[in-house]
Amino acid sequence: MIKSIVVLNNHGQPRLTKFYEYVPEDRQQQVVTDVFSMVSKRSDALCNFVDGASIFGPGVRVIYRHYATLFFVFVVDEAESELGILDLIQVFVETLDRCFENVCELDLIFYMNKIHYVLDEIVVGGLVLETNMADILAALQEAKRSESQASSTSLVSPARSFSLARSYR
Amino acid sequence: MNAKKFMKSAKSNWSKAKRTYMCRTLEDVVKAYRACTTRSEERALVKKESAHIRDLFREGDKAFRRRNVAKLLFFHMNGYEIDFGMTECIKLCASNKYKDKRIAYLGLMILVDESEDILMLITNSLQTDLHSHDVNIVSLALNLLSDMASVEMVRDLLPEIDRHLHSTVPYIRKKAALAAVRAVRKLTPDETSSILDAIPHLFESKSSGMYISAAALVSTLCKKGTLDMHVFQTRVVPVVIEVCSNYLLRERSHGSSASVSKASVKSPGVHVKLLSAMRLMLNVGLLDQHRDRVYELLTVIATTTESKTLSGCSVLYECVRAIIAMNPDQALWDTSISVLVNFLLHKEATVRYIGLQELISVADIRGTDALLQIDGVKSKVLSSLSESDPTMRKRAAEVVYRSTNDSNCEEMVSALLDYVEKSKLPGLLRMDVGRLSPCWKNAQPQMIGRLICL
């Protein structure tokens, strides 16, 4: 089972945190710090697994991938296959890339809720839901359609807020 | 006097209107937060914005609720307490708009934990949503159930989960399967016996997500134990094995040239989950005829999957784990050990790590001799001692220790001593040397000298 998913940048700032087992709020920030101290010092040539037993309890492994400025970190128990999780991280990142056209850190900062929606189509309740990208994208598209169908008048149209973020970048 | 009163009320109305219509967007708040240079500035910003949001919530504002919940989630991620957001999320859940519900459920999943009483308040709106005609709304409710439902909630809503396990929409079925996983974990086997009956039906639809979540359900049932063995053996196991053998052998492509006998795997996700479900079924125990089919299947996968790519390796790795659970005859053991030994030479460090880790457990079960029977195992294991990653070197030392016997003692021990000298960790020394003591009777005096130097 996946215990938690943390995305953080090279400076250790959280960009996405999701806990599938209850962690008290003050502990959550500690987890981010711990995870960062684990993965940040490792060079990219080393393997993508770290033993997390000292922090999360026996049998827990920390599996991560490093993309440009971001670390995608999955904390899992022994029931999950390490290599399977590595593949899952790749699926997650590729899906984000398709949703945001060349995803970058700023997308994660400004559209945190959307990133959560993407994640919810891939992992639910700590279990893998889907690894086929076409199906994930179709489900997201469907949800988006459903969301706009019942749209009321909103003061800032989505198109405008979108272009704002682009110019900021 | 009247004019004064009028001015006062106009002023208060104006400030109220300003507060409402000056509600900043999520983007603006994030930008402002990022512009802060010190921690105290950040704190002041969050405090001010939270107070504003709290006022809007109290006034019953409807226009900006979604935006404000999103802001609160952003603050929460950065470590601020925003407990007052929960009630608003619960109110939003009851809205009949999908986009309100979407952010409300997200907020609940992030802010609330399963032990909180507040969760009981949403059981009713969950019940309504599970009956909705909109697939997306049902899926939100199922997501929440599998994410955080408490014992009482799954008990109350189990009939709904059951109903959705038989839904005609595959997307709902796969989400219901994961909600059923939660139910199996939380409730007693008696209460969830109906779930077992739904499994054959789940495997009928041929989508990857369906296979993954159905496999997760089977795995959870096996882990929980105390299954109705009769139903399990006669109705569940045959279906799972059938699906596994069809899927695992079909969803792979052989190279273009006929001489290539190895098959590559494109997306290993489903393979890995099906194989791990099979491993857990083997742990529960299978009838002989089923065991034979699994044996055949595992042999084919272990011998014909290519090991160059990461995806091929993840299938092989899961296959080897299933083989270990099966505890088969000598031939299949040898196959799986050579698969692992080949991992040690892979270009990806991750695969080498997996190889070392699994060799440790194989050696613990089968003993040193089984390991040494494989060609070239010694040199491959010794070369792993020079890995750049310390955790890998540590595992390599474990494997070296396990593949040491009387005949190769000298070579292995001297390599281990090199390793201990280089790593300069006295703790490791005690571990490795202490356990090798049976081999010391053959050791050279020179080596003992080196040991004393340490």
Side-chain angles (χ1 to χ4, degrees):
Chain A
M1 189 190 151
I2 299 169
K3 287 174 176 290
S4 60
I5 294 172
V6 179
V7 179
L8 29 77
N9 71 0
N10 287 345
H11 304 290
Q13 290 165 313
R15 292 304 177 218
L16 176 86
T17 52
K18 178 91 190 177
F19 294 87
Y20 293 103
E21 265 177 7
Y22 176 61
V23 175
E25 262 152 50
D26 43 339
R27 247 311 267 150
Q28 291 189 5
Q29 291 303 310
Q30 190 57 42
V31 167
V32 173
T33 325
D34 289 345
V35 160
F36 181 65
S37 67
M38 267 182 176
V39 298
S40 61
K41 291 194 192 78
R42 297 171 64 83
S43 85
D44 286 350
L46 300 183
C47 82
N48 304 40
F49 312 132
V50 194
D51 198 0
S54 54
I55 296 175
F56 301 103
V60 176
R61 279 123 353 133
V62 175
I63 296 164
Y64 73 97
R65 268 181 190 272
H66 189 197
Y67 297 88
T69 61
L70 293 172
F71 287 98
F72 285 75
V73 188
F74 282 46
V75 181
V76 304
D77 69 6
E78 62 267 88
E80 293 290 338
S81 150
E82 292 94 333
L83 294 176
I85 294 290
L86 269 189
D87 182 63
L88 189 69
I89 300 179
Q90 184 66 26
V91 169
F92 181 33
V93 174
E94 272 179 37
T95 312
L96 287 180
D97 213 37
R98 289 282 288 277
C99 293
F100 289 96
E101 295 167 34
N102 293 326
V103 69
C104 71
E105 197 182 332
L106 284 169
D107 292 318
L108 271 78
I109 297 171
F110 285 108
Y111 301 103
M112 197 190 88
N113 47 343
K114 290 185 187 163
I115 309 286
H116 271 288
Y117 296 151
V118 175
L119 185 60
D120 282 346
E121 293 299 332
I122 301 175
V123 180
V124 170
L127 297 165
V128 184
L129 175 73
E130 182 64 83
T131 56
N132 182 342
M133 201 160 63
D135 287 351
I136 299 168
L137 290 171
L140 286 166
Q141 202 62 43
E142 181 59 31
K144 205 172 167 187
R145 201 185 53 76
S146 184
E147 203 167 53
S148 59
Q149 234 173 22
S151 78
S152 55
T153 46
S154 114
L155 287 179
V156 181
S157 69
R160 201 181 135 236
S161 60
F162 188 73
S163 64
L164 270 180
R166 292 290 142 175
S167 61
Y168 181 81
R169 185 197 281 185
Chain B
M1 193 60 193
N2 254 350
K4 242 185 186 173
K5 232 182 191 172
F6 178 77
M7 274 300 283
K8 207 176 166 190
S9 79
K11 245 185 188 168
S12 90
N13 279 342
W14 167 243
S15 70
K16 197 171 165 186
K18 204 167 86 178
R19 201 161 59 222
T20 311
Y21 292 103
M22 296 286 273
C23 180
R24 293 200 273 184
T25 62
L26 174 63
E27 281 91 333
D28 289 342
V29 171
V30 175
K31 265 184 219 169
Y33 186 85
R34 278 160 59 79
C36 294
T37 45
T38 62
R39 190 77 184 148
S40 60
E41 265 181 54
E42 283 175 3
R43 237 175 266 138
L45 174 91
V46 172
K47 200 173 163 195
K48 192 169 165 224
E49 192 65 34
S50 305
H52 182 186
I53 294 171
R54 199 195 296 247
D55 284 346
L56 284 178
F57 283 168
R58 201 177 295 140
E59 284 160 19
D61 155 73
K62 291 235 156 97
F64 300 107
R65 289 194 290 179
R66 286 191 302 277
R67 175 189 294 180
N68 285 336
V69 170
K71 283 185 221 167
L72 291 182
L73 295 182
F74 175 78
F75 296 153
H76 178 264
M77 184 181 70
N78 286 292
Y80 294 93
E81 278 214 18
I82 45 141
D83 288 341
F84 65 95
M86 288 183 212
T87 20
E88 193 63 21
C89 286
I90 288 176
K91 276 192 229 155
L92 260 178
C93 270
S95 153
N96 50 12
K97 282 189 206 139
Y98 172 69
K99 55 178 169 184
D100 289 345
K101 282 186 192 294
R102 202 180 188 193
I103 189 96
Y105 277 115
L106 179 65
L108 286 174
M109 285 195 274
I110 292 177
L111 299 179
V112 185
D113 96 86
E114 61 174 281
S115 63
E116 278 175 73
D117 297 334
I118 202 166
L119 212 53
M120 287 310 283
L121 297 174
I122 56 163
T123 310
N124 276 337
S125 64
L126 268 178
Q127 183 103 32
T128 324
D129 288 348
L130 286 170
H131 276 108
S132 165
H133 294 294
D134 188 339
V135 170
N136 290 304
I137 291 180
V138 178
S139 105
L140 281 181
L142 287 171
N143 266 6
L144 185 105
L145 274 181
S146 31
D147 228 51
M148 54 189 309
S150 60
V151 180
E152 294 80 21
M153 280 170 86
V154 271
R155 190 171 290 138
D156 289 350
L157 297 172
L158 189 61
E160 301 301 325
I161 298 176
D162 246 341
R163 193 166 58 81
H164 286 301
L165 278 177
H166 295 275
S167 156
T168 50
V169 187
Y171 182 63
I172 292 298
R173 274 209 303 279
K174 76 178 178 189
K175 295 216 162 172
L178 292 188
V181 167
R182 182 90 185 179
V184 171
R185 281 200 191 134
K186 292 272 164 195
L187 303 177
T188 62
D190 292 340
E191 287 172 289
T192 53
S193 58
S194 55
I195 288 173
L196 205 54
D197 300 325
I199 291 177
H201 173 66
L202 289 178
F203 276 104
E204 272 165 28
S205 58
K206 294 178 173 45
S207 83
S208 57
M210 197 62 249
Y211 283 155
I212 291 176
S213 43
L217 185 53
V218 172
S219 308
T220 315
L221 284 165
C222 291
K223 255 189 272 178
K224 180 94 181 184
T226 55
L227 287 162
D228 180 344
M229 279 316 262
H230 179 70
V231 179
F232 181 67
Q233 298 284 11
T234 54
R235 298 199 46 205
V236 178
V237 172
V239 176
V240 178
I241 293 179
E242 187 62 38
V243 165
C244 283
S245 46
N246 281 341
Y247 187 88
L248 295 174
L249 299 179
R250 193 186 63 229
E251 291 296 315
R252 33 199 244 152
S253 52
H254 287 269
S256 50
S257 72
S259 62
V260 182
S261 59
K262 300 268 171 168
S264 63
V265 179
K266 259 213 194 91
S267 59
V270 185
H271 292 249
V272 168
K273 290 291 165 194
L274 286 177
L275 281 166
S276 94
M278 208 134 77
R279 168 167 58 92
L280 290 160
M281 284 188 343
L282 283 162
N283 281 340
V284 172
L286 295 182
L287 301 176
D288 279 347
Q289 81 251 30
H290 296 143
R291 230 182 110 86
D292 292 345
R293 283 202 65 188
V294 173
Y295 180 90
E296 249 169 67
L297 180 62
L298 292 179
T299 314
V300 173
I301 295 171
T303 48
T304 61
T305 308
E306 59 83 35
S307 58
K308 281 204 186 65
T309 59
L310 206 57
S311 49
C313 286
S314 39
V315 172
L316 279 172
Y317 167 52
E318 210 48 48
C319 179
V320 167
R321 292 219 303 184
I323 291 174
I324 294 175
M326 187 170 202
N327 199 7
D329 59 11
Q330 189 62 42
L332 195 49
W333 267 115
D334 285 350
T335 315
S336 59
I337 296 175
S338 30
V339 164
L340 292 177
V341 171
N342 281 332
F343 276 8
L344 298 185
L345 293 182
H346 201 274
K347 61 177 194 301
E348 295 270 353
T350 50
V351 177
R352 299 201 295 273
Y353 176 97
I354 295 290
L356 288 169
Q357 185 180 289
E358 282 308 297
L359 276 176
I360 294 175
S361 49
V362 168
D364 281 343
I365 302 170
R366 300 292 288 174
T368 308
D369 294 335
L371 217 60
L372 289 173
Q373 267 172 15
I374 310 299
D375 287 339
V377 65
K378 211 165 58 182
S379 62
K380 285 172 190 165
V381 169
L382 286 179
S383 70
S384 317
L385 273 180
S386 50
E387 286 284 353
S388 54
D389 190 335
T391 49
M392 282 171 76
R393 281 205 302 274
K394 203 171 142 204
R395 280 177 169 72
E398 292 280 334
V399 179
V400 170
Y401 159 70
R402 282 170 176 76
S403 45
T404 305
N405 61 10
D406 288 351
S407 56
N408 65 11
C409 161
E410 211 169 303
E411 192 182 350
M412 295 303 219
V413 173
S414 101
L416 266 185
L417 284 175
D418 283 346
Y419 157 71
V420 173
E421 273 168 356
K422 242 187 265 163
S423 60
K424 297 200 178 63
L425 290 172
L428 287 173
L429 178 73
R430 223 178 308 120
M431 170 196 90
D432 295 323
V433 178
R435 284 193 313 200
L436 282 172
S437 50
C439 302
W440 284 119
K441 59 179 189 283
N442 298 345
Q444 302 273 332
Q446 175 201 1
M447 221 145 44
I448 297 179
R450 267 179 77 190
L451 188 67
I452 294 168
C453 286
L454 289 166

